Amino acid sequence: MKVPDRSQWVLKWLAAALLLLAASAPATARQTVRERVDAVADGQVDISNVSGSVVVRGWDRAEVLVTGTVGGDVETVEVEVRGTRIVVSIKMPDGKRGRVDVNADLEVSVPKGSSVDVSVVSASLEVDGVEGALDLGSVSGPVEVTGTPSRIEVDSVSGAVRVDARTDILRATSVSGLLALGGRASEVRAQSVSGRVELTTTGAERVEIETVSTAIEIDMDAAPDASIEASSHSGSVTLRLAEDASAEITASSFSGRIANALGPAAERPRHGPGSHLRFTLGEGEGRIDLESFSGSIRIERR
Amino acid sequence: MSDQEHPATTDLGAALTRLPRTMQPERDLWPTIAQRLAPRTVAPAKPRYEGWMVGLAAAALLTIGMGLGYLLRGETGSMAPGTVASGSGAREASGAGAMDLANASSASAPRGAAALAAYRAATAELRSDLALRGMYLPPQTRSVVQRELAVIEAAIAEVERAFAASPADPHLERMLLTRYRQQVDLLTRWLPVNAGGGEWSDRPLDQSTLGGEELTNEGA
């Protein structure tokens, strides 16, 4: 049916007005935030946010500074001192009901010796320059960690986790998010259901990786006597080793294929299913155990 | 030296490879389970449930956790989830040294069965109140967790079938225990009884009303 010209004009005008309103609303709603409190050099800083972003930086000052902008229904950012613990959180209006738009872009500078605990939902999270322990949780926001924290513990549901840091202990878990773990760590533990695990961390003495349905890729220079264990149900497990690697290697799979470019082929037992492989590279100083149920296992030269 | 150079010992070697190498647990599982049963801080809001519902669910979870912890506390190397085979984990965590393979082999079977039974019961219980606990997560995240639970359950079903055909295979038993532990991890880590603990937990927000949330899969 043909719409009269006048009605078309009115409709177009209304649509344009609505678009203008929609475009201008977020800009006018955002507020600038700047909060500063004194802090001890090695205290605890807890930060939470829902959507937007969180950037945490370690610095030399004995204070915590929170800057950024908040929008939507967020009233402001609260910075609360509880002894040596500083809590940074989003303040919402009391009694708010219905749809809630929680959005904040925060940059939090903390004394570099602080231990930092951050929880976000879909907000992106970046941490750099912190030397204390990190405990990071994200639902769907991506997480990036750099610097030299003493310990990193990061949990994610679907957000990708990327670590390029020098630390002692690195523990990462995800449900479906990528775990890309690099840098240097003495101990690495990674666990995921369907989030791919890529491990390039150097210097590790102990590595444990588990996935259910996704690939594990290990391409790392471990400590000479390192213990590396990688297990997947149906995901592939790929291990790339340097020319001078020295380790006793075992691999076993119930129904997956084992391809070994560095030594003997896998063998199947006379009775029952499964493939198994055991061989030694160099002096056999380290120990590497690879396992899958149905995923393939590949051992390659780097 | 490779097994290929000793054909006569191939089967024995392969069988030995599959056996647990220690009698001691590679780590005490209870602290991890207990920790994961404890409140987490990630989910920022509380749904409004009746107190008795949460209390009942918490009691059920804690009972399950304590039972699992009790059963798994003294398990053998083959019981210890999270490892492919007993490596340095066993050496570090137990500090008791390795037992001989024969003892390990004979002792692991009944304990393995008990651990499996505990895991099966635990996951069934946790699954039964999934809808209640899942309300703490945004809907999109809940669906991701549900999907991944299905992935683990499919994996468990696969290993269960293989294990039913070869019930004496410690390799399969270990895989099964690992998958069950991953399922318990997922059910308790991301679907907690009480999502409180952080500042957000005190906010009277209804998670389902976080309409501005855009929870997408950032995974690989």
Side-chain angles (χ1 to χ4, degrees):
Chain A
M1 191 169 78
K2 185 176 170 64
V3 179
D5 287 347
R6 184 181 173 80
S7 297
Q8 276 188 339
W9 183 86
V10 171
L11 283 173
K12 283 178 182 173
W13 186 88
L14 278 172
L18 284 171
L19 277 173
L20 273 172
L21 276 173
S24 62
T28 55
R30 293 199 78 79
Q31 297 176 48
T32 301
V33 171
R34 184 179 176 87
E35 297 284 341
R36 192 205 72 81
V37 295
D38 291 332
V40 296
D42 57 353
Q44 173 77 35
V45 181
D46 297 345
I47 303 163
S48 58
N49 190 8
V50 176
S51 64
S53 63
V54 175
V55 177
V56 182
R57 305 248 183 256
W59 65 359
D60 290 324
R61 298 187 204 170
E63 60 186 48
V64 169
L65 176 66
V66 181
T67 58
T69 58
V70 297
D73 294 315
V74 179
E75 268 188 2
T76 187
V77 173
E78 282 187 336
V79 181
E80 190 180 350
V81 180
R82 301 176 186 171
T84 59
R85 177 184 295 266
I86 291 170
V87 180
V88 179
S89 59
I90 304 295
K91 180 170 171 49
M92 300 294 295
D94 289 336
K96 175 75 179 177
R97 291 290 181 267
R99 289 176 68 86
V100 180
D101 178 11
V102 186
N103 188 291
D105 294 310
L106 303 178
E107 179 159 342
V108 185
S109 300
V110 304
K112 64 184 179 186
S114 306
S115 294
V116 179
D117 185 320
V118 188
S119 295
V120 297
V121 179
S122 64
S124 63
L125 171 59
E126 284 179 49
V127 182
D128 183 32
V130 176
E131 295 177 358
L134 299 179
D135 197 340
L136 312 174
S138 168
V139 175
S140 63
V143 179
E144 285 190 33
V145 183
T146 51
T148 56
S150 61
R151 174 179 63 78
I152 302 170
E153 188 140 352
V154 53
D155 289 347
S156 165
V157 176
S158 59
V161 174
R162 297 177 191 279
V163 176
D164 185 9
R166 193 182 182 97
T167 188
D168 189 30
I169 297 172
L170 169 56
R171 291 180 183 148
T173 65
S174 89
V175 179
S176 63
L178 166 74
L179 297 178
L181 309 177
R184 188 174 184 86
S186 301
E187 177 183 314
V188 181
R189 292 187 186 193
Q191 184 182 332
S192 173
V193 179
S194 65
R196 182 184 183 87
V197 179
E198 299 172 358
L199 184 66
T200 55
T201 313
T202 61
E205 294 163 7
R206 185 173 175 197
V207 175
E208 289 181 16
I209 306 174
E210 280 176 12
T211 69
V212 178
S213 64
T214 192
I216 298 172
E217 287 210 21
I218 304 172
D219 187 342
M220 61 185 296
D221 287 319
D225 59 347
S227 165
I228 299 172
E229 300 173 350
S231 167
S232 180
H233 178 79
S234 56
S236 62
V237 180
T238 303
L239 171 71
R240 296 191 184 90
L241 292 172
E243 192 80 32
D244 59 350
S246 170
E248 181 185 334
I249 299 173
T250 62
S252 60
S253 180
F254 182 76
S255 61
R257 180 170 169 267
I258 300 177
N260 179 19
L262 308 186
E267 297 172 353
R268 302 185 69 88
R270 289 195 189 97
H271 307 289
S275 302
H276 306 277
L277 174 67
R278 183 177 191 139
F279 70 108
T280 302
L281 279 180
E283 299 297 315
E285 295 164 273
R287 178 185 186 87
I288 300 173
D289 294 304
L290 311 175
E291 181 184 69
S292 81
F293 182 81
S294 58
S296 63
I297 296 176
R298 292 193 296 273
I299 303 170
E300 303 169 349
R301 186 73 73 195
R302 186 185 299 160
Chain B
M1 188 173 287
S2 77
D3 288 341
Q4 279 193 328
E5 290 168 321
H6 297 283
T9 63
T10 298
D11 287 348
L12 178 59
L16 290 175
T17 303
R18 294 195 303 271
L19 286 175
R21 299 186 183 97
T22 67
M23 277 292 292
Q24 298 299 318
E26 296 185 1
R27 60 175 181 265
D28 184 357
L29 300 172
W30 173 238
T32 305
I33 293 170
Q35 182 189 5
R36 289 171 183 180
L37 288 170
R40 298 283 301 172
T41 60
V42 173
K46 278 182 181 176
R48 287 180 287 278
Y49 293 127
E50 294 294 334
W52 67 268
M53 294 170 71
V54 175
L56 195 64
L61 274 181
L62 285 172
T63 304
I64 289 163
M66 289 172 71
L68 267 179
Y70 177 77
L71 278 165
L72 299 177
R73 192 180 285 272
E75 291 305 333
T76 66
S78 70
M79 296 303 94
T83 55
V84 175
S86 56
S88 64
R91 293 190 289 275
E92 282 178 18
S94 72
M99 299 285 286
D100 66 75
L101 289 171
N103 283 344
S105 168
S106 62
S108 67
R111 291 183 178 217
L116 275 175
Y119 268 129
R120 286 176 181 129
T123 52
E125 283 289 327
L126 291 167
R127 264 302 213 171
S128 71
D129 66 348
L130 185 62
L132 174 67
R133 291 177 295 113
M135 290 302 291
Y136 288 103
L137 292 175
Q140 296 92 332
T141 305
R142 208 182 311 152
S143 66
V144 169
V145 172
Q146 290 276 19
R147 186 188 68 208
E148 301 304 316
L149 275 171
V151 169
I152 298 178
E153 283 175 355
I156 286 173
E158 268 193 296
V159 187
E160 286 273 22
R161 281 194 294 274
F163 189 54
S166 308
D169 190 335
H171 180 76
L172 289 172
E173 182 183 79
R174 191 171 57 234
M175 283 186 175
L176 198 49
L177 286 164
T178 302
R179 297 291 89 81
Y180 272 118
R181 179 181 50 75
Q182 287 171 324
Q183 189 180 31
V184 169
D185 273 356
L186 190 53
L187 285 164
T188 54
R189 178 180 291 261
W190 292 110
L191 297 169
V193 167
N194 181 351
E199 289 305 295
W200 279 97
S201 66
D202 298 329
R203 305 291 170 193
L205 295 177
D206 184 341
Q207 184 74 68
S208 64
T209 63
L210 292 175
E213 281 311 283
E214 186 99 5
L215 300 173
T216 56
N217 189 338
E218 307 271 355

